[in-house]
Amino acid sequence: DAGITQSPRHKVTETGTPVTLRCHQTENHRYMYWYRQDPGHGLRLIHYSYGVKDTDKGEVSDGYSVSRSKTEDFLLTLESATSSQTSVYFCAISDPGSSYNSPLHFGNGTRLTVT
Amino acid sequence: SQQGEEDPQALSIQEGENATMNCSYKTSINNLQWYRQNSGRGLVHLILIRSNEREKHSGRLRVTLDTSKKSSSLLITASRAADTASYFCATDASNTDKLIFGTGTRLQVFP
């Protein structure tokens, strides 16, 4: 899995609580992404990062924030979890250059349930 | 909204048959990529085709790209039960660093 570790793999949390998902890579890749996958919607981009402290929004960024203080770690935070954020979250990395010039390598996902 | 849409949504075939999946997209692209996802796993990159290419092969995979119709197809020849998975196309959005995925085709190959 291209040296990508997502943690936790599964999490159940209550509505209104903050949640942080972690993506750790050992590939020293510049670009990191967070996607969510839901039935009928495929994968949708939440946020991405093109370097340390450089991040940008994706298609479905509302209710999410990210941070990247080190090349190897990209954190996704749900500031106040809602049931609509129940999903499977995937981290991906790519290098060199931009995602449209090189393939993405995905982690195995975090299954988040908000009750 | 999705940049890419796959067709069909689901496909069931017997081992040995060929499987064809189609992808349509909305805006001009630099490249189009195809990915496979086995149940419970992350996506795995299969093939990338650039906008100036019309056809590309990789093993039993054949990808075509028609930029005039804004469409691509993925052909898996001589399918195997192990090819059972979901297949996604992905395109860049307006020359950005964002890769946008379609909703996928679920392929079931029966032994």
Side-chain angles (χ1 to χ4, degrees):
Chain A
D1 296 323
I4 307 169
T5 304
Q6 290 187 232
S7 58
R9 289 298 314 277
H10 302 271
K11 185 166 181 70
V12 179
T13 192
E14 293 184 348
T15 298
T17 59
V19 177
T20 295
L21 308 183
R22 180 182 184 233
C23 178
H24 178 78
Q25 58 142 333
T26 58
E27 306 296 318
N28 200 35
H29 284 190
R30 180 183 169 199
Y31 284 81
M32 299 186 76
Y33 307 82
W34 278 108
Y35 286 86
R36 60 178 288 175
Q37 185 174 32
D38 305 286
H41 291 279
L43 276 83
R44 292 180 291 175
L45 181 64
I46 305 171
H47 281 280
Y48 68 103
S49 168
Y50 42 92
V52 173
K53 296 195 168 115
D54 290 324
T55 65
D56 204 350
K57 296 179 180 180
E59 308 166 78
V60 290
S61 59
D62 288 348
Y64 301 95
S65 62
V66 289
S67 66
R68 191 163 177 206
S69 58
K70 298 184 290 185
T71 299
E72 57 265 36
D73 290 325
F74 194 31
L75 304 180
L76 176 71
T77 297
L78 287 64
E79 292 136 11
S80 178
T82 67
S83 58
S84 65
Q85 293 176 312
T86 292
S87 186
V88 181
Y89 291 85
F90 286 98
C91 174
I93 63 176
S94 73
D95 198 69
S98 57
S99 64
Y100 58 82
N101 285 323
S102 57
L104 299 189
H105 303 283
F106 282 81
N108 280 327
T110 293
R111 183 173 295 276
L112 177 68
T113 302
V114 184
T115 60
Chain B
S1 62
Q2 300 293 138
Q3 162 76 318
E5 297 289 341
E6 286 92 343
D7 169 59
Q9 289 187 333
L11 179 61
S12 295
I13 59 175
Q14 295 291 132
E15 257 189 338
E17 295 180 337
N18 296 340
T20 299
M21 289 157 268
N22 302 297
C23 170
S24 59
Y25 56 91
K26 297 174 184 174
T27 65
S28 60
I29 60 172
N30 291 292
N31 305 297
L32 185 143
Q33 303 182 35
W34 283 92
Y35 288 78
R36 183 187 75 224
Q37 183 181 33
N38 291 95
S39 180
R41 307 281 290 182
L43 279 71
V44 175
H45 180 259
L46 294 176
I47 198 164
L48 181 153
I49 186 165
R50 302 190 187 284
S51 58
N52 61 355
E53 297 175 311
R54 291 298 166 257
E55 188 170 312
K56 202 162 182 180
H57 297 255
S58 177
R60 294 184 295 112
L61 305 181
R62 175 184 160 229
V63 169
T64 61
L65 178 64
D66 187 335
T67 53
S68 67
K69 295 181 180 178
K70 292 187 171 59
S71 67
S72 174
S73 66
L74 170 67
L75 168 68
I76 303 174
T77 60
S79 63
R80 305 167 181 167
D83 294 328
T84 293
S86 291
Y87 292 82
F88 296 87
C89 69
T91 56
D92 58 297
S94 303
N95 218 26
T96 69
D97 294 325
K98 305 174 188 178
L99 199 61
I100 306 297
F101 286 80
T103 52
T105 292
R106 291 188 312 277
L107 174 65
Q108 176 82 51
V109 182
F110 292 99

